[in-house]
Amino acid sequence: MSRAALQALTAALVCAALVGAVITAGPPSALLSAARAAAAAGLCLVGALGLGAPIAAGRGAALTLGLGLLGLLGVLALAAGLPPGLALLGGAGLGLAIGASKLRTLTQAPAAGAIAALTLCLVAAPTALAPPTDTDALYQHLGLGARMLHEGALVGGPLSPDGSRPLLLIGLWAGLLQLGGPAGAALTHLGVAAAVLLQISVLGERAAGRTGALLGPALFGLSWTVLHEAPVVGNNLPVALALTAAADAARAGRAWRCGLLLGLALSFKYTAALGVPLVLLSGLRPGGALRALGVAGACLAPWWLRNVIDGLHPLFPYAGWALPDGQALPFQHLEKYGAGRGAADFALLPWRVVFSAERDSFRFLGQLHPAMLPALGLALLGGAGPGQWPRRLGLALGLAGWAAGPQWLRHLLPLLPLLVISALEGLVHIGLASTSPGGPRWPARLWVGLALVGAPQNLWPALSAHAGRAAAALDPAAAAALRAEQPAAAATAWANAHLEGNAVVGLVRSWDLLGIERRSRLGSVEDHTPLRVLLLRAPDDPFAPLRAAGVTHLLVGPPAFLRAGYPFLSAADYKAMYDAPEVILEEALLREATLLFEAEGARVYRLDLPRPGRAIPGRE
Amino acid sequence: MPAPNRTPGTRPAGAVARLGTGGRSGSSVGLRMWVRMCCIGGALCTSGEGAAARLSRGRSTPLYALHARCAEPRLPALAGPWAVGCGAEGAVDRALPLAGGQLVPLPVALPQPCLGPGTLWDPSVADGLIRLGAGGATRLASPRRGPQAGPCALDGEATLSQSVGGLELSTLGSGSRTPISAAPVGWEPVGLAANWAAWVERLGGAARLHLRGPRGAAAPFRPPPGARHVISAGGALAWVEPGAVARWRPGEPEPTRWPAKTGFSSGLGFDGLILCWEERGAGDVDIACTDGLRIDGPGHQQAPSRWGPWLLYREGERPTLWSETGGTR
């Protein structure tokens, strides 16, 4: 048997085993669930590498392209009413068949990077295998996929605004949800995080020799934000992978490939825009940069077009919502986040972001390792060759863009690998590292000291959190207890147990799209809650659009907004934007809904028939 | 906020208590109270309508001591001549004698107790049985039943609790239990009257009230689909049906029904004789009772809990006590 035939046979066997596991999985044991998740993640990652390998030579580019293609297959399958899991299975199987011969090359990396990646996977695996609790994973990354699986179609529009964002990764997560459950998606994401570390190690070695191969992954991987995000399904680390690969393609002068990777990064998440200046200034000529921009725009155009066809702003929901009285509700109030917006606040930002960030509050919502502060200095101000200043300008623009946004550290993740590589280059240019084996070693030792300084704030909280999830990863009772800690968990469980199978649940002030096992509408977090729009647009009959959309029940979470969170709003504005909708909601619930369940501040209602004289819009 | 005056002739801007069927009685307060107690026990009266004529206009008073929100949404409520409410943690930890006196702290906080006249019992708490009396609150020995799926019910010394696996009949203070094969919906309360157990199951989304008598006897009637919000007191059961509230005393061939637009939020207030419920009006939510009492006015009046001449309800978010005589609170 030839080698290619053997590989194809192996791929087929893996696919068959996975299909068998999916079909026979009743109430599986934790071990079987973990094995199923690992098989799905392994198949997805290796299949994606194989799919991308014929198009791009580098690992990061191949994996990004492969993941993008698998996501696209998932989106197309959902649009056609087909199971995205099947599309993923087919795509990954094809990737194994056509790209298997290149896998060995693609998986080679410096030893330091490989050890760092393996360590990350081992340390963070318990969190990946435990039930997801991250808010963004529940309402968006996994939640949207789950909603689409219940719906059997793509979702979007005013009642599911998060579905009107670019959905490339959501298509991928939906397929993984079907094949390997939430843990399958989480392990895949962890694999992507490991690939980012490997990528940094490879690029770090290129920039600063062996010191760079070790220092790069360490600089990036020892921040709490990175360790925390690695096993949590999200889009920041896939964007980091895509941007790093795009910058590498730009350095090599490959405009088309760079544009494609940029387009994928932006289709993963719009915050990839922070890295666009840096990527375009990384070695492309002006014509090439324009070409890359055009390709990236073409990748995004279908998402914009979809929104326009739906009668929405191309950038919905980020463009916010208009109200009849000429007022508007923004997607989010940037002043609510970070550490202030005055000139002094921006000047102090680099210091604050490292030394006074808070992991559990809107003050940066994360934590960076102290070593990132000198890294930032080196990246922006360290010595540089003639061709490097444009890139530093690009990096500065990206950082400024981040500072102008909500200043969440997880939004900085896409830029961090490029920042680390720039810092390593700066280190070389000031003579503290060398690409040759005989370079100075003390910078690496200095970093070890810094790592020890940063450990109490970064390493230990992340490690102990991951270790704390081990029980939930292995014991179904502990997993159930963890799920029960979620807001509105009791109401969600009651709805899953008691509502009709064809019920359509409107999620009001609640966001567990993953947990609700029914078709659902609404459901979002923070300020971008579409229900407020409905309430303010038609206070006398706010549930009419929900009835028209087939909503039969409402799951109402506890009040979500506190005045203290909006000190920048006047009392009148806060009352109009936040208090008024609450009053309208409670009134409407008393008038037009029947309470079925209440626990821990969360309630389940059945929507009553409309009051006499009121027709349901859109229905005869 | 000061309590609105609800005495005759001074119609307040807030809620107003009205009596639809009766007029002023010439009997003394003490006599009327005595008659009410007898009626609640079922010894003298058979229907609330007869007693209604004894009522007169009363007065509502906010109960600031019970202002904290309870984790169990049916509380605060009346436990006979006591109003019980919660502390900052949301568990029941205080009782207020309606006839006057100091707030009584409970010896143990109970997260989800069921209430009888002067009695609180929470099967999820070890020794979670509390008797209220002239000497204050007394905690009594009572075996812990484990996590509960919903509120329990008391009928004298008999109890009906909702364990996670089903229903259990038992006696206060006793460790022995008799399981009932049932799949109660949880959260919905259960009822127990003269050895008749009532609970709500949900099949395919539709609520269905189940009634089971001694030795598995079936009720002589079939509650309609959608019946729920069951409550028991004074040897009788009551519940909400689509378009009506119903009261049934075991032995009667059919329940007595009153038309009502209710069941959309809170359940019933029931003292064994008189039923009170939330009525969804054209503009707001008011409280109506089978004896003709109505608590209405601007804003919403909700969550009735009735015991004899007292009605505890929520005026907006504020627990408020209406009493026939104006009371002493």
Side-chain angles (χ1 to χ4, degrees):
Chain A
M1 186 182 283
S2 71
R3 192 178 168 192
L6 192 64
Q7 286 165 344
L9 182 65
T10 309
L13 283 174
V14 170
C15 291
L18 196 57
V19 170
V22 171
I23 291 170
T24 56
S29 70
L31 213 56
L32 183 60
S33 287
R36 184 182 147 200
L43 182 70
C44 174
L45 289 167
V46 178
L49 268 176
L51 265 186
I55 311 170
R59 178 188 25 246
L63 187 57
T64 303
L65 288 168
L67 291 173
L69 281 172
L70 290 178
L72 183 62
L73 283 175
V75 169
L76 293 175
L78 281 163
L82 297 171
L86 199 65
L88 176 63
L89 211 54
L94 181 69
L96 278 176
I98 64 174
S101 59
K102 298 183 179 174
L103 286 180
R104 178 173 291 180
T105 329
L106 289 173
T107 48
Q108 284 171 348
I115 290 169
L118 191 64
T119 307
L120 177 70
C121 287
L122 289 174
V123 161
T127 299
L129 291 170
T133 56
D134 180 78
T135 301
D136 284 19
L138 293 179
Y139 94 90
Q140 190 189 0
H141 308 301
L142 291 172
L144 270 179
R147 173 174 287 182
M148 290 178 193
L149 292 178
H150 286 302
E151 204 69 35
L154 290 179
V155 299
L159 295 185
S160 193
D162 294 312
S164 293
R165 306 181 189 202
L167 295 175
L168 214 48
L169 275 181
I170 303 296
L172 179 72
W173 304 138
L176 282 161
L177 263 180
Q178 227 172 9
L179 292 183
L187 285 176
T188 303
H189 188 270
L190 184 55
V192 171
V196 174
L197 279 183
L198 286 176
Q199 190 75 353
I200 292 173
S201 181
V202 170
L203 297 176
E205 188 175 45
R206 194 195 294 165
R210 288 176 64 184
T211 301
L214 170 68
L215 206 49
L219 265 174
F220 178 75
L222 284 182
S223 287
W224 180 89
T225 292
V226 175
L227 290 166
H228 169 77
E229 291 273 327
V232 175
V233 180
N235 45 19
N236 295 300
L237 286 168
V239 171
L241 181 74
L243 280 182
T244 312
D248 205 32
R251 273 194 168 193
R254 294 180 173 268
W256 286 99
R257 185 184 296 170
C258 171
L260 186 59
L261 289 164
L262 265 187
L264 287 175
L266 289 162
S267 296
F268 290 169
K269 192 177 188 182
Y270 281 139
T271 48
L274 297 178
V276 170
L278 173 55
V279 169
L280 294 181
L281 294 171
S282 287
L284 289 178
R285 293 178 177 175
L290 279 177
R291 214 163 38 245
L293 260 185
V295 173
C299 291
L300 284 174
W303 306 113
W304 297 336
L305 193 63
R306 178 180 178 234
N307 282 352
V308 171
I309 290 170
D310 287 346
L312 302 166
H313 189 285
L315 294 177
F316 180 81
Y318 301 100
W321 290 265
L323 296 176
D325 58 359
Q327 299 292 310
L329 291 180
F331 179 73
Q332 59 184 173
H333 292 280
L334 295 178
E335 303 93 322
K336 186 176 169 184
Y337 313 105
R341 306 256 147 193
D345 297 317
F346 282 117
L348 287 170
L349 196 54
W351 176 267
R352 286 176 173 169
V353 88
V354 171
F355 292 108
S356 69
E358 292 168 3
R359 297 188 292 269
D360 299 321
S361 86
F362 288 138
R363 188 181 171 88
F364 305 122
L365 207 63
Q367 183 80 48
L368 285 183
H369 194 281
M372 288 310 296
L373 192 59
L376 179 68
L378 280 169
L380 289 176
L381 307 171
Q388 286 177 329
W389 287 113
R391 290 174 49 215
R392 298 203 165 168
L393 174 66
L395 179 63
L397 286 173
L399 293 171
W402 174 83
Q407 300 180 351
W408 290 347
L409 283 175
R410 61 168 180 249
H411 287 177
L412 194 58
L413 280 179
L415 269 185
L416 275 189
L418 297 172
L419 186 149
V420 165
I421 302 303
S422 290
L424 291 174
E425 288 168 349
L427 209 61
V428 170
H429 281 286
I430 59 174
L432 295 180
S434 168
T435 49
S436 60
R441 291 187 175 178
W442 68 266
R445 290 174 185 158
L446 175 67
W447 182 86
V448 170
L450 278 172
L452 290 175
V453 172
Q457 280 292 320
N458 286 273
L459 210 49
W460 306 140
L463 294 185
S464 61
H466 292 322
R469 292 293 164 97
L474 298 171
D475 177 12
L482 187 63
R483 280 190 211 98
E485 290 175 10
Q486 288 300 303
T492 305
W494 189 93
N496 289 339
H498 296 294
L499 295 188
E500 301 93 322
N502 61 354
V504 182
V505 182
L507 302 177
V508 178
R509 297 191 308 222
S510 58
W511 57 82
D512 194 354
L513 275 69
L514 179 65
I516 189 80
E517 295 166 2
R518 296 292 185 280
R519 293 167 64 204
S520 63
R521 303 282 184 275
L522 302 174
S524 197
V525 294
E526 286 296 309
D527 299 326
H528 41 96
T529 51
L531 185 80
R532 285 194 304 135
V533 182
L534 299 183
L535 295 167
L536 291 172
R537 280 183 180 165
D540 289 336
D541 197 10
F543 295 153
L546 299 181
R547 288 194 181 96
V551 172
T552 57
H553 294 78
L554 297 175
L555 196 160
V556 183
F561 303 108
L562 293 173
R563 178 73 180 99
Y566 300 83
F568 48 88
L569 286 181
S570 69
D573 283 346
Y574 182 81
K575 190 174 180 183
M577 295 168 84
Y578 294 98
D579 282 344
E582 294 291 311
V583 173
I584 296 167
L585 172 66
E586 293 300 333
E587 281 294 310
L589 288 170
L590 271 180
R591 279 198 322 258
E592 301 185 25
T594 296
L595 180 66
L596 302 180
F597 177 86
E598 180 173 2
E600 295 158 6
R603 293 166 279 171
V604 179
Y605 286 88
R606 184 185 65 235
L607 266 185
D608 295 341
L609 293 172
R611 280 174 280 163
R614 277 188 177 166
I616 299 179
R619 288 191 190 174
E620 294 296 324
Chain B
M1 183 180 291
N5 186 353
R6 305 278 162 79
T7 50
T10 54
R11 191 181 177 88
V16 177
R18 292 202 307 252
L19 188 69
T21 58
R24 181 175 285 276
S25 165
S27 61
S28 70
V29 171
L31 178 61
R32 278 187 282 137
M33 287 285 289
W34 181 84
V35 170
R36 303 295 296 158
M37 303 305 128
C38 294
C39 287
I40 289 159
L44 295 179
C45 304
T46 55
S47 78
E49 291 84 343
R54 301 179 201 282
L55 288 173
S56 65
R57 294 191 184 193
R59 178 189 175 91
S60 290
T61 311
L63 296 185
Y64 294 105
L66 306 184
H67 201 269
R69 184 177 273 270
C70 296
E72 165 55 55
R74 298 165 188 86
L75 300 172
L78 298 183
W82 298 79
V84 296
C86 301
E89 299 298 316
V92 176
D93 69 353
R94 62 197 65 192
L96 195 65
L98 299 179
Q102 296 295 312
L103 187 72
V104 175
L106 301 187
V108 60
L110 304 175
Q112 194 178 45
C114 46
L115 309 177
T119 305
L120 297 89
W121 180 56
D122 191 330
S124 67
V125 175
D127 300 331
L129 173 62
I130 294 175
R131 303 276 193 196
L132 300 167
T138 309
R139 185 179 184 184
L140 301 172
S142 169
R144 183 174 181 271
R145 303 280 193 233
Q148 297 293 296
C152 52
L154 289 175
D155 182 32
E157 293 299 300
T159 70
L160 179 64
S161 57
Q162 304 188 58
S163 67
V164 175
L167 293 172
E168 289 177 344
L169 280 166
S170 64
T171 307
L172 281 177
S174 160
S176 64
R177 297 175 250 179
T178 307
I180 296 178
S181 176
V185 71
W187 187 71
E188 284 276 355
V190 295
L192 182 64
N195 291 321
W196 281 80
W199 70 94
V200 176
E201 295 192 12
R202 195 167 277 272
L203 189 64
R208 188 166 283 282
L209 176 65
H210 291 254
L211 295 164
R212 179 187 179 275
R215 293 179 292 283
F221 60 94
R222 191 177 170 82
R228 60 198 193 96
H229 278 311
V230 67
I231 188 171
S232 59
L237 292 161
W239 57 86
V240 171
E241 293 179 356
V245 295
R247 186 193 64 200
W248 181 64
R249 196 174 296 281
E252 293 176 351
E254 278 287 326
T256 308
R257 293 185 167 93
W258 292 263
K261 287 189 283 185
T262 190
F264 53 89
S265 181
S266 303
L268 299 167
F270 184 45
D271 63 5
L273 191 66
I274 304 165
L275 271 169
C276 296
W277 63 92
E278 295 174 338
E279 181 85 5
R280 190 184 261 167
D284 65 356
V285 178
D286 301 321
I287 290 174
C289 298
T290 52
D291 61 355
L293 175 67
R294 282 191 72 86
I295 307 282
D296 59 16
H300 301 308
Q301 293 78 42
Q302 289 186 264
S305 177
R306 183 74 188 253
W307 199 78
W310 287 290
L311 172 71
L312 182 67
Y313 64 98
R314 274 185 231 155
E315 176 87 44
E317 287 295 307
R318 190 178 58 233
T320 304
L321 183 70
W322 176 87
S323 72
E324 179 187 339
T325 61
T328 55
R329 300 243 58 91

